[in-house]
């Protein structure tokens, strides 16, 4: 069935007019623009406007991007699918201008914020923009109301929600910047803003076509996500008397995780439920296979809430229990979070949700999950291989089968173990995606899990350099190029440093390198692997071979290889 879609470019005086009554749907996230985005917008506008000597001409026009609306052809009511951030910020800007302009000009600015009803035309009083229910009263009282701006600037920010704080900060920023202009400059800016700044309004009568449109438009605002559309459908399927309760649960979980991680949560939910690679749009897969609208309260109570709580603990490595397993569990979460993909997370969420109150079971599972995830990373398993493996593991967790049997998808196969050993016993340094993880994991084991690795920079360095200088001690110890190349890139010849590489220092002779390159400014080496090197008086093939053997044995113990 064809859908009517309209796209028109309009100056702001036509956008904030009786042609539109904008409303932010309940599924939208809170207002999220900070002073960074608001400042960029204002600076752009003032830059395009130019100075007082320049006449405002067509060449000075400024394009504010596109917004997507659900709107009928003859009805001004418009649900904002994409564009909330810009419309809200522009309304704040209009309110600030109104407060700074002369009384005569201020009254003219009010009509862009507030529509006065007309009995002859049959229209009623209304504000041009209606925010979500949770923000609506605050925005109306402190921004849209003519006397509200002075009061919002005096509010205690610590008592405000994130969205209210953003509104306050952006209003304060605009106020401070526009106060620097003269009355004449503010009048000129107001004229430019309303007549030479344009939005493209894309309107469609239903949410499905709106979702497709917003997905392909490169708008300036912060894009909506799958979770925003699901929120609309799921919350909309709950009795109105219960909607506020479940909206608060949803938004509290989003705030606890942060928007980006909350979006990630839905990809993990989809994987837990579908156990397969995405084959169509995520929205369609949720509608067709996961069916959250069938029992929306249950979906929120039994999936959104516990899975969100699990993901927060997994990401922050902040599991709490009364027994000694807490330290080990959080230790394993920290290592899992260093894996170069997130495909292991759905299995962690599902198992954690089922067993969060049995820490010993959690510990055993996470030991083997980190072993599996690290193994697949070392083997450079591609995304399809990882998804197939973790899908089998999700099924095994759901069916409550023995995850520690020989043929369990949680366990590495003999072939995988053999290939992992070959990889870590070979030239590790050229494999950039895994070398640091392997060395840090090894270093942590050697320090008996006492090492900390939260350094801004960690680099992997050679002891025996790749290209030793002529006449150096290195060439006396390794006169044969073939022999040198046999050792240079292997674990036994690698160390970790908590600073950037120094190309010149890499080729120092061994004694000088130990003193000037492998020691930090405070003379405290943060890595056991590096401390071991400092204890050596020479660095020969025999030393590297023994170190290689010891390191490999330690890694085999860590991962039961």
């Amino acid at each position: 069935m064809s859908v009517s879609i309209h796209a028109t470019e309009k100056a702001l005086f036509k956008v904030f007019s009786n042609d539109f009554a904008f409303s932010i749907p309940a599924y939208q996230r809170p207002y999220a623009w900070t002073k960074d985005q608001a400042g960029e917008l204002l600076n752009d506008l003032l830059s395009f406007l130019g100075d007082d000597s320049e006449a405002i001409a067509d060449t000075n026009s400024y394009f504010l991007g596109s917004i997507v609306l659900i709107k009928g052809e003859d009805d001004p009511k418009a649900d904002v699918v994409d564009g909330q951030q810009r419309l809200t910020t522009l309304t704040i800007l209009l309110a600030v201008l109104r407060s700074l302009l002369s009384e005569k000009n201020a009254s003219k600015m009010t009509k862009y914020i507030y529509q006065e009803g007309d009995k002859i035309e049959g229209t009623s009083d209304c504000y041009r923009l209606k925010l979500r229910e949770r923000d609506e009263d605050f925005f109306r009282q402190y921004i849209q109301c003519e006397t509200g701006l002075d009061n919002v600037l005096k509010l205690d920010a610590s008592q405000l929600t994130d969205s209210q704080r953003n509104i306050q900060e952006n209003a304060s920023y605009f106020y401070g910047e526009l106060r620097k202009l003269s009355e004449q400059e503010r009048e000129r800016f107001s004229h430019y803003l309303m007549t030479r700044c344009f939005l493209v309004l894309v309107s469609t009568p239903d949410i499905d076509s709106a979702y497709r449109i917003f997905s392909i438009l490169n708008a300036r605002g912060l894009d909506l996500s799958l979770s925003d559309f699901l929120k609309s459908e799921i919350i909309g399927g709950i009795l109105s008397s219960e909607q506020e309760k479940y909206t608060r649960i949803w938004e509290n979980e989003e705030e606890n995780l942060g928007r980006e991680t909350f979006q990630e949560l839905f990809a993990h939910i989809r994987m837990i439920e579908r156990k397969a690679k995405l084959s169509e749009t995520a929205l369609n897969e949720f509608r067709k296979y996961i069916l959250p609208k069938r029992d929306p309260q249950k979906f929120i109570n039994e999936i959104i809430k516990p899975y969100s709580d699990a993901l927060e603990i997994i990401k922050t490595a902040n599991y709490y229990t009364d027994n000694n397993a807490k330290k080990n569990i959080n230790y394993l979460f920290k290592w899992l979070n260093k894996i170069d993909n997130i495909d292991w997370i759905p299995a962690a969420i599902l198992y954690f949700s089922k067993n969060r109150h049995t820490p010993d079971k959690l510990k055993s599972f996470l030991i083997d999950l980190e072993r599996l995830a690290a193994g697949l990373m070392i083997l450079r398993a591609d995304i399809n291989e990882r998804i197939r493996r973790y899908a089998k593991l999700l099924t095994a967790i759901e069916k409550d089968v023995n995850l520690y049997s020989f043929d369990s998808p949680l366990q590495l196969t003999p072939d995988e173990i053999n290939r992992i050993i070959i990889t870590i016993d070979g030239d590790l340094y050229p494999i950039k995606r895994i070398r640091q993880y392997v060395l840090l994991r090894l270093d942590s084991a050697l320090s008996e899990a006492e090492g900390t690795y939260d350094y801004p920079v960690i680099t992997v360095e050679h002891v025996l350099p790749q290209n030793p200088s002529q006449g150096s001690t290195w060439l006396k110890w390794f006169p044969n190029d073939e022999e040198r190349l046999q050792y240079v890139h292997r674990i036994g010849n690698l160390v970790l440093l908590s600073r950037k590489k120094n190309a010149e220092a890499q080729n120092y002779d061994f004694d000088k390198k130990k003193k000037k390159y492998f020691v930090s400014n405070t003379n405290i080496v943060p890595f056991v692997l590096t401390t071991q090197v400092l204890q050596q008086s020479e660095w020969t093939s025999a030393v590297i071979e023994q170190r290689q053997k010891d390191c490999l044995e330690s890694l085999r113990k860590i991962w039961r290889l």
Side-chain angles (χ1 to χ4, degrees), residues 397-453:
I397 294 169
E398 284 185 346
K399 293 183 176 180
D400 202 24
V401 302
N402 182 5
L403 297 176
Y404 307 100
S405 65
F406 175 79
D407 59 349
S408 166
L410 181 61
Q411 304 304 316
L412 294 169
T413 67
D415 176 65
E416 287 169 339
I417 291 172
N418 185 55
R419 288 189 289 127
I420 290 169
I421 292 172
I422 291 171
T423 300
I424 60 178
D425 194 29
D427 286 347
L428 183 70
Y429 183 82
I431 313 176
K432 296 181 180 179
R433 300 286 291 275
I434 70 169
R435 66 192 186 195
Q436 188 177 105
Y437 186 91
V438 171
L439 289 171
L440 287 173
R441 194 71 175 87
L442 171 61
D443 193 87
S444 179
L446 294 175
S447 71
E448 297 181 347
E450 295 299 323
T452 56
Y453 304 103

Side-chain angles (χ1 to χ4, degrees), residues 211-276:
Y211 177 72
R212 290 194 298 271
I213 293 167
F214 110 85
S215 297
I216 61 174
L217 284 177
N218 181 22
R220 182 173 185 147
L222 302 175
D223 285 340
L224 290 173
S225 68
L226 169 66
S227 64
D228 294 316
F229 286 93
L230 288 174
K231 180 182 178 184
S232 171
E233 297 187 355
I234 294 167
I235 299 295
I238 297 173
L239 290 174
S240 57
S241 60
E242 292 281 290
Q243 285 186 359
E244 178 63 19
K245 170 187 172 182
Y246 283 97
T247 297
R248 289 189 180 278
I249 294 173
W250 186 292
E251 293 182 357
N252 286 338
E253 295 305 315
E254 181 175 12
E255 188 169 328
N256 288 339
L257 281 180
R259 181 165 173 78
E260 184 176 339
T261 305
F262 192 68
Q263 291 181 38
E264 181 187 313
L265 171 67
F266 285 83
H268 299 321
I269 291 173
R270 191 210 65 82
M271 180 62 187
I272 291 169
E273 298 296 322
R274 289 281 290 133
K275 303 174 184 63

